[in-house]
Amino acid sequence: GALQVQGFRSPEKVYQDLTVLVRDMKCSPPEPGVDGVLIAGEPEMLKKEWSWRHGVPVLPAVLSHLRQISSELQIPLAV
């Protein structure tokens, strides 16, 4: 489970320190060929945001199967 930070320090101080750490990490120069520095959970968050805007990518074989099921059940498939 998660640590209860209030047993060690005030939650406000932990948040303050994490804010500085994340800011410092994000300001670090990226390695050549990389767009930027990412923090834990950021790739997943960016992928989720992309999927909300553009839709969830579906493999062609999966889409074909969904179309077949849609046709058999006579349920429209919005793509």
Side-chain angles (χ1 to χ4, degrees), residues 1 7 11 14 18 21 23 51 54 59 61 63 65-66 69 71 73:
V14 171
L18 284 174
L21 175 65
R23 184 199 65 219
S51 293
H54 304 287
L59 295 171
L63 183 56
H65 190 67
L66 289 173
I69 294 169
S71 175
L73 298 176

Side-chain angles (χ1 to χ4, degrees), residues 6-72:
Q6 65 269 26
F8 304 98
R9 329 173 39 198
S10 74
E12 294 80 18
K13 182 66 177 151
V14 171
Y15 179 79
Q16 214 173 38
D17 290 347
L18 284 174
T19 300
V20 170
L21 175 65
V22 168
R23 184 199 65 219
D24 290 349
M25 288 176 63
K26 296 298 285 178
C27 290
S28 299
E31 289 291 315
V34 177
D35 291 335
V37 176
L38 300 177
I39 59 171
E42 195 171 6
E44 295 82 1
M45 179 191 68
L46 293 170
K47 180 66 175 172
K48 182 178 179 180
E49 289 173 358
W50 187 93
S51 293
W52 275 106
R53 283 193 306 275
H54 304 287
V56 178
V58 178
L59 295 171
V62 173
L63 183 56
S64 174
H65 190 67
L66 289 173
R67 284 188 171 132
Q68 179 185 353
I69 294 169
S70 170
S71 175
E72 289 172 7

